[in-house]
Amino acid sequence: MGKSLFQKVWDAHTVRTLSNGQTQLLIGTHLLHEVTSPQAFGMLRDLGLKVAYPHRTFATVDHIVPTDSRVEPFADPLADAMINELRKNCAETGVTFFDMSTGKQGIVHVVGPEQGITQPGTTIACGDSHTSTHGAFGAIAFGIGTTQIRDLLATQTMALAPLKVRQIKVNGKLRPGVYAKDVILHIIRKLGVNGGTGFAYEYAGEVFENFSMEERMTVCNMSIEGGARVGYINPDEKTFEYLKGRPYSPKGADWDAAVESWKSFASDDDCEYDDVVEIDAADIAPTVTWGINPAQAITIEESIPSVDSVAASEKAITAEALEYMKLEGGSPIKGTKVDVCFVGSCTNGRLSDFEEVAKYIKGHKVAYGVKAIAVPGSQIVDAICKEKGIDVIYREAGFEWREAGCSMCLAMNPDKLIGDQLSASSSNRNFKGRQGSPTGRTVLMSPVMVAAAAIRGEISDSREVFDICATANA
Amino acid sequence: MALEKITQVTGKGVTVAGDEIDTDRIIPARFMKCVTFDSMGEYLFYDVRKNEDGSDKVHPLNEERFKDASILLSGANFGCGSSREHAPQAIYRYGFRGIIAESYAEIFFGNCTTLGIPCFIATKEDIAKISAAVEADPSIEITLDVENERILFGEESLPAVVRESAQKALVAGKWDMIGELKEAESDIASVVSKLPYMAK
């Protein structure tokens, strides 16, 4: 019987079995950012330990960097202290740091792939739950806590229990106006926020094969929102094409050897999965959340569930969500007034996200009273958008074009909702208070749907606003 | 590194009811602007406990009768969302030494175990039973028996699940893995040597 990519990568990185029965797993690539690492460096110093493999450790700043003025010292002294702490830690230990002055800074999950650091058949870990993003390249990538960051810094290994593998096949072709974000929201809605507990998700089938690397990243990114710690897609020619020529990609003869090795990690045709789920692409429509977790999602055509319409086990959380979101069960979600619109984050802050929106917003204007912000995922995304004039299209439509960072996804920088403002957001979490205000409300959707909401001033069907079906059929 | 062997934890309980209580709710992101975990305890469940002016909202953790509680009871998928260890750190530094819930998100569970916080899995009905006992008498002692996977309170003894790896680690005093991970330096080097991408 063949093996899955997960099993192959796991086996290749196993150091030994630990006394608690877990596996000591080598983590090839360790990514760091400013929020979850300072305490880990502190613990390392307290124990008198060194960074074991600094050449496999890479850092950048993303969560707290301001996206308007980058003049240091920042207005927020705590943000300033955290960035300087990371600078100091990297300088002292020899860890590569993509600081703002390098032109390569950005969200850690955008920077890794962009630099060619993220590679197939490798293990990756980072103190951020969206590390699952890197699975788009056929890597096994884990989000971890700070004590594990310390373990990794000190040993390049950590203690983990193996996961079961669930293959999720999305067959057929997506309809026009349906994006990677809709696919993953549909999957999470179907399987639940904790449906993935104990599993790695292997995304397979025609839809993922046809997806670009950036679309694959969007899907893998949100694996964690379905409770799966890891999500991945088998590497293929598209993966290799993306990586070719990137700064940290192998070069020359090493490249050919690497591609051969990467191919060998793909799941075997005869491997048996612990579970298989099949979904028809034609069933997926533009999807938005209405509640306080990413599984509380509906298509743009559907009505918001009422407490009466859901299963007994869902009643309490449905009531809690409706109350918090100030939404009426049984009403359509379409037409809900929005205050803030955000395109960005590690889910949807990549070049193709900004390009896709730019295709449609030309000639449109953001509705009066709506604050719309576009925040590139990295300085490189920003630079390419500027080169192509994409930022101008956004600005002319009435968006603010910002500097690279996590921004309003989790609001650790000055970009925050105020009071009970409702945000149409391309980010990954609609938790209570997630976007910075304890009463702020988040509705997750694809970047094109965010743009449609910005232009109409209410949650809208992007296919109607931008006449997407007509464009696709033309 | 010698660590305390955590075979059982005893204390008073408090229930923070609800399913899908995420780590953003346990510790809102804005309180993570810090380079140590020292202040985390103050901000536990901040947005559901406090008004914007800092005054108290109605919340179990604000009630005098639960002020000595060290066992936290909750619902399903507790600790979902962000990987931030700030969440279990806030729970620990506030004074909690054990958690009982229906289920946990994976990263949160791992983070708790590493800090020596046993996360017990119990059924909805059993959690309701313990919560009712705590509500009736907040001074009641709850014991989380890690070794025997049971929850004891009053005259009751209920079965619970402590995941095997966590149980082994807690009981053996090996919940912080750094010492054991460090021992394998030559095995690590050998795996590294077989992986071309690890070369300098």
Side-chain angles (χ1 to χ4, degrees):
Chain A
M1 196 177 69
K3 282 182 175 180
S4 67
L5 178 138
F6 180 85
Q7 289 168 306
K8 292 184 195 180
V9 175
W10 187 273
D11 293 347
H13 291 78
T14 293
V15 175
R16 60 172 181 159
T17 303
L18 295 162
S19 62
N20 66 3
Q22 288 186 309
T23 301
Q24 181 169 6
L25 196 74
L26 181 88
I27 299 297
T29 305
H30 186 190
L31 305 172
L32 296 170
H33 62 84
E34 75 281 17
V35 178
T36 56
S37 70
Q39 300 87 344
F41 278 104
M43 293 187 236
L44 201 69
R45 271 192 284 270
D46 290 347
L47 293 169
L49 298 172
K50 285 193 161 60
V51 178
Y53 292 82
H55 76 290
R56 295 302 312 162
T57 313
F58 305 89
T60 189
V61 279
D62 51 14
H63 285 62
I64 59 154
V65 285
T67 61
D68 44 8
S69 166
R70 301 284 198 124
V71 180
E72 294 182 71
F74 300 125
D76 179 350
L78 291 172
D80 220 54
M82 287 174 82
I83 291 184
N84 284 319
E85 186 77 12
L86 184 58
R87 260 184 206 137
K88 187 189 84 182
N89 285 330
C90 290
E92 279 178 8
T93 58
V95 167
T96 302
F97 182 35
F98 301 108
D99 201 347
M100 289 173 288
S101 58
T102 63
K104 297 170 185 168
Q105 169 265 337
I107 306 175
V108 67
H109 311 308
V110 178
V111 170
E114 209 166 58
Q115 291 297 318
I117 292 166
T118 302
Q119 293 176 11
T122 63
T123 48
I124 300 175
C126 173
D128 186 286
S129 58
H130 293 105
T131 307
S132 58
T133 310
H134 306 268
F137 291 79
I140 298 301
F142 300 93
I144 58 174
T146 296
T147 303
Q148 286 172 310
I149 297 176
R150 175 208 63 186
D151 293 349
L152 268 191
L153 289 171
T155 70
Q156 201 69 14
T157 66
M158 57 186 219
L160 279 164
L163 299 166
K164 291 180 283 183
V165 180
R166 171 181 291 145
Q167 190 188 45
I168 302 175
K169 276 180 128 164
V170 183
N171 305 308
K173 285 197 165 56
L174 293 174
R175 292 184 279 158
V178 179
Y179 294 97
K181 182 63 152 286
D182 303 307
V183 173
I184 189 61
L185 284 173
H186 181 90
I187 291 171
I188 297 166
R189 175 189 183 183
K190 202 175 152 80
L191 302 179
V193 267
N194 53 4
T197 306
F199 284 99
Y201 280 173
E202 175 179 302
Y203 302 102
E206 204 182 335
V207 163
F208 302 113
E209 284 160 20
N210 290 335
F211 269 168
S212 67
M213 291 313 294
E214 300 207 339
E215 290 171 303
R216 293 178 186 184
M217 283 188 253
T218 297
V219 171
C220 290
N221 174 274
M222 287 187 68
S223 303
I224 189 74
E225 310 317 336
R229 196 163 183 187
V230 158
Y232 69 88
I233 294 171
N234 283 306
D236 60 7
E237 289 304 324
K238 219 175 260 179
T239 318
F240 312 144
E241 189 56 38
Y242 180 99
L243 287 173
K244 197 157 195 184
R246 302 223 169 226
Y248 287 85
S249 293
K251 309 275 184 308
D254 288 345
W255 170 260
D256 297 329
V259 170
E260 278 319 299
S261 154
W262 292 345
K263 282 181 183 166
S264 73
F265 278 102
S267 295
D268 295 324
D269 292 336
D270 61 343
C271 88
E272 252 180 57
Y273 296 95
D274 298 289
D275 189 31
V276 176
V277 173
E278 297 209 35
I279 292 169
D280 186 351
D283 291 342
I284 307 174
T287 301
V288 297
T289 58
W290 57 269
I292 51 172
N293 72 51
Q296 291 180 317
I298 50 176
T299 70
I300 187 66
E301 294 129 343
E302 283 178 277
S303 295
I304 301 161
S306 63
V307 176
D308 296 338
S309 71
V310 298
S313 60
E314 293 291 308
K315 287 191 193 298
I317 190 102
T318 301
E320 186 185 349
L322 290 172
E323 191 195 342
Y324 182 83
M325 293 299 290
K326 300 186 164 73
L327 293 172
E328 196 73 45
S331 314
I333 189 87
K334 208 158 100 172
T336 304
K337 190 183 164 298
V338 302
D339 303 295
V340 176
C341 293
F342 168 55
V343 181
S345 85
C346 61
T347 314
N348 281 119
R350 297 186 177 78
L351 178 61
S352 59
D353 297 310
F354 296 103
E355 281 180 327
E356 187 66 16
V357 170
K359 261 167 56 183
Y360 296 110
I361 56 169
K362 240 184 194 166
H364 287 282
K365 286 273 181 222
V366 169
Y368 179 76
V370 171
K371 180 188 175 76
I373 64 171
V375 185
S378 71
Q379 290 180 315
I380 290 177
V381 170
D382 181 41
I384 301 173
C385 284
K386 282 176 175 157
E387 214 174 274
K388 295 186 163 193
I390 289 170
D391 63 319
V392 177
I393 297 172
Y394 272 82
R395 285 198 178 102
E396 282 176 357
F399 275 83
E400 293 172 36
W401 187 268
R402 300 290 192 83
E403 305 270 5
C406 295
S407 181
M408 209 172 221
C409 174
L410 87 168
M412 278 195 76
N413 73 341
D415 305 341
K416 289 179 172 59
L417 295 183
I418 301 162
D420 67 354
Q421 279 184 328
L422 189 138
S423 163
S425 179
S426 71
S427 56
N428 41 49
R429 287 188 176 140
N430 51 344
F431 297 155
K432 288 180 175 179
R434 172 74 179 180
Q435 290 191 275
S437 161
T439 51
R441 299 171 292 160
T442 302
V443 178
L444 303 176
M445 59 186 78
S446 75
V448 173
M449 287 283 283
V450 172
I455 280 146
R456 287 278 171 90
E458 56 187 39
I459 295 172
S460 307
D461 190 335
S462 58
R463 296 170 301 186
E464 293 164 10
V465 177
F466 301 124
D467 212 1
I468 289 179
C469 299
T471 318
N473 293 332
Chain B
M1 201 164 57
L3 293 170
E4 182 196 352
K5 292 184 165 97
I6 302 174
T7 52
Q8 60 174 47
V9 173
T10 299
K12 293 167 194 160
V14 62
T15 306
V16 175
D19 294 338
E20 320 292 349
I21 293 184
D22 56 73
T23 50
D24 274 79
R25 219 177 308 169
I26 297 170
I27 183 89
R30 62 185 187 281
F31 301 118
M32 301 199 302
K33 270 190 245 165
C34 53
V35 294
T36 70
F37 289 124
D38 298 349
S39 61
M40 287 301 108
E42 291 169 48
Y43 303 117
L44 179 66
F45 291 117
Y46 193 87
D47 287 343
V48 277
R49 270 177 58 215
K50 300 281 182 181
N51 292 305
E52 282 183 57
D53 63 4
S55 59
D56 283 354
K57 288 183 184 175
V58 177
H59 190 274
L61 295 196
N62 293 336
E63 290 187 45
E64 189 60 28
R65 58 191 179 128
F66 299 128
K67 97 174 170 7
D68 299 328
S70 60
I71 309 284
L72 182 64
L73 293 131
S74 194
N77 205 23
F78 188 70
C80 58
S82 161
S83 66
R84 62 185 72 158
E85 190 171 303
H86 303 68
Q89 288 277 359
I91 288 170
Y92 188 85
R93 283 161 197 264
Y94 186 90
F96 288 105
R97 292 296 177 265
I99 309 176
I100 305 170
E102 284 171 61
S103 60
Y104 301 87
E106 307 243 329
I107 304 178
F108 177 85
F109 181 90
N111 285 342
C112 283
T113 306
T114 307
L115 299 183
I117 307 171
C119 290
F120 274 52
I121 299 166
T123 63
K124 194 186 207 57
E125 294 69 32
D126 284 350
I127 294 171
K129 212 183 272 181
I130 306 165
S131 288
V134 169
E135 185 60 35
D137 176 10
S139 72
I140 195 168
E141 296 251 303
I142 303 167
T143 295
L144 305 182
D145 184 342
V146 181
E147 239 173 341
N148 302 306
E149 297 192 274
R150 297 198 76 84
I151 301 169
L152 316 168
F153 62 103
E155 302 296 305
E156 298 261 11
S157 167
L158 303 171
V161 174
V162 185
R163 272 197 219 161
E164 199 189 345
S165 60
Q167 188 199 31
K168 278 189 181 166
L170 291 164
V171 169
K174 288 186 168 182
W175 33 273
D176 183 338
M177 299 302 289
I178 186 76
E180 204 174 333
L181 294 174
K182 277 290 284 177
E183 285 166 14
E185 264 165 17
S186 64
D187 295 340
I188 297 169
S190 141
V191 175
V192 165
S193 70
K194 289 179 202 140
L195 296 164
Y197 80 99
M198 293 297 295
K200 271 201 186 171

